[in-house]
Structures are given as structure tokens and as C-alpha cells.
Amino acid sequence: MWVEPTYQLVKRVAIAEWSQTLRQLGIPFEEHKADNAMTVGPRGQQFKVYFYSAQHPERIVGQTASWAVIDESALVSEKVFANVLARVRDPKAKLSQICCVSTPEGFNWLWKTFVKNATSQTRLIKAKTSDNPFLPPEYLDTLREQYTELEFSQYCEGEFIAMSGSVYSRFDRNVHIKQLQSPLQGDLVVGADFNIGKMAWVIGSNLGDKLHFFDEQITHNRNTEEAAELLDQKLRGIYFQAGLTYKPREIRIYCDASGAARKTSASRSDTAILRSFGWRVMHHPANPAIRDRVNAVNVAFLKQRLYIDPKATYLMQCIEQQGYDQSGLPEKNGLDHGADAIGYAVSYIMPVMGRKPTTRKYM
């Protein structure tokens, strides 16, 4: 089974290139135009290939296939993939496979399947344009002149990129995703983004010249006091697992400066609630400019002073996928909460230009 994004590509690309390649290799075949199919191979060794358009996923039914290819798969819907997956079920097949061939197009179902939710049954193979030995040497230089840095990474290097402009462009999954073996080898820190609908708090270890965030707490429709109670339980658990006595005064929480005035719980401010649990609360008198906070995080990634444990899945998603909106500001699309939380901590501990800003500290 072979799937193309459109019917035109089935006719002009898939079937045409199959026919040309089979002729060059001297392999006999017969095209069945009415069925968009092709019988390939000599007698006794024949197999049949059906060609489908992804424009009508509801028509990808009824067949029992041994294998399938979805060409330009990032351009088709997840429904197409689901229907193809249901068709690759031939019990006689020695090895049932689905091959998705594509240039990455942001963080869609293709990324979720082969990166975020990858299993032992999936495999991601990245091929750079420069790996193609049949291209003329000037081809890559021409593309580099035409594309932005992000476009070149996506279209020529096979990287999944937030093409609206990645906010945290210095983040590299291969460099900055590392497991933290001992969370308490440094001082515990928490980056807190206050909200009511969705509240994101990220937990890390300050190792002196490095920050390593290893856990997160995401709450929905809870006030600050309820979220703080959950955090208190989580932090106590970290100390308990390490066999140490819980010491809240050793824990610093870096938060939104507006938390000193905002009240999401009863009559106390957000920061007052955090202090009541014994934690040290740190924040600027006023929030730094968004660009300064973003720059602090990017510089920390660039200098390899900031890492994220794979356990913090939501934080990774925020950092990797948040893009810019049309006004040039980080998108408010549900991925901003985790990014803001880590930004409050990083911009305080590792400010750009080495400046130590005036802060509000509750000792």
C-alpha cells in the first residue's frame, strides 16, 4: 500500500516513479489504471501495490496489506495514519511495516508518534540533505541562502521545529535532556507560574554553575494554597526517598512578581501562602522584560548550564514547542506556563549580562 497527500501526486509522482524505476531494474510489472494499482514481479513472485490519496482517508479501507508507505506524511492527517495502521494486518507477512517518509512540519502527529511517544515498535531515521550523494555540491549552498536558520534546520537537517519561530532556539534535545540521578546533590529550587485555570511549577536542583530541572507539578482549577499543599507533599517525598530530614527553609521558590499582590486564595497573597509553608520566596520587584527572561534561558542553554530531566515532560514540551505569535511575543497557547515558570528561576539565578537585579526576598 502506498499513500500520497493528493491524487495528483499518486498519478504524477508515485505511479510514474514506480514505473520508471521498475523498467530501469528490468522488473516486470503491470499497471491497473482503473484501480490505481500495480502488479509487480515475475510469475510466482508477484505482489500487488495499491495507491491511495490521503485526501479521502475514508477510502483507505478493505485492504489487507503486508506493508505501507505514507509519502510526505507530515502533510496528511492522523486519521490517514490510523486507517493505514488498521490495514497492515496480513498474517502471511514476514515483517509488517509502515514507513512514513517526510520533511518535518512542526509538532504534529508525526512528531508525537516517532519522538514524544516513541516505543520499541517505532524507529526514527533522520537523513540530512547533505547525506544525499547525488545532489550537486552547490545545491545545499543555494538552499542555505534561501532559508532562515530555522527553516534550514527543518527542511535540510530533518529537525522538528516550531516554524512560527522557536522562542527557545538554543534548546537541543540531544544536549539538554539529561537524567538527574540525585536531586538533592544541590539546593532545591522551584519555578512557579501562578494561574487559576492551569498552574505550572517546575522543580530543579541548583548545582552552583548549573540548573537541572527534574520534576514538575501541573494543576488545573486549583488555587495557590491547594497547589502549595500538593507541592509540599511532593517535596517531602523527595527528601524521604533520599533518607534526609525535610528542611523547607533550604528550598527557594522563584515566582511571578505579581504574586506578591495577587490573591488566588482567600485573603492572603500568593507569596504569603508560599512563605507559610516555610519556603524562601524570591522574585523581582517587577517582572523582567519578557525578552530578558527568554534571553536568560537561551543563554543558559547555549552555555550548557541548564538541563531538563526527561521526567519533566510538560516542561520539555513547552521549551521545545513554544513559538512566537504575529506580534512577536511568545504564544499564549498553553505552552507558556511551563516556560514562564522556568524563566522566573533562570532569569533570577542566571541573569543576562551577569547582573544581579534588585529583588524581594522573604527570609
Side-chain angles (χ1 to χ4, degrees), residues 195-196 199 223-225 262-266 268 270 273:
N195 288 287
I196 294 179
M199 202 176 300
N223 58 37
T224 302
E225 188 152 11
R262 183 167 47 200
K263 300 175 181 178
T264 59
S265 307
R268 294 187 296 170
D270 291 334
I273 291 171

Side-chain angles (χ1 to χ4, degrees), residues 192-194 254-260 262 271 282-284 287 344:
D193 181 48
F194 298 118
Y254 300 87
C255 62
D256 183 348
S258 63
R262 183 167 47 200
T271 56
M282 330 284 282
H283 65 79
H284 303 287
N287 285 330
Y344 294 135

Side-chain angles (χ1 to χ4, degrees), residues 177-248:
I177 300 298
K178 289 185 178 181
Q179 186 175 8
L180 182 63
Q181 299 296 335
S182 303
L184 292 179
Q185 62 183 296
D187 297 327
L188 279 190
V189 299
V190 178
D193 181 48
F194 298 118
N195 288 287
I196 294 179
K198 185 173 186 177
M199 202 176 300
W201 295 0
V202 296
I203 306 170
S205 182
N206 186 346
L207 305 172
D209 62 337
K210 293 180 176 63
L211 282 172
H212 201 142
F213 286 86
F214 61 90
D215 204 351
E216 59 194 7
Q217 176 179 293
I218 313 301
T219 57
H220 298 270
N221 300 316
R222 291 179 181 269
N223 58 37
T224 302
E225 188 152 11
E226 292 170 330
E229 290 173 354
L230 293 174
L231 179 66
D232 186 61
Q233 295 174 16
K234 184 183 286 286
L235 295 175
R236 288 178 183 273
I238 294 172
Y239 274 83
F240 178 80
Q241 290 180 357
L244 299 175
T245 302
Y246 180 53
K247 298 179 180 179

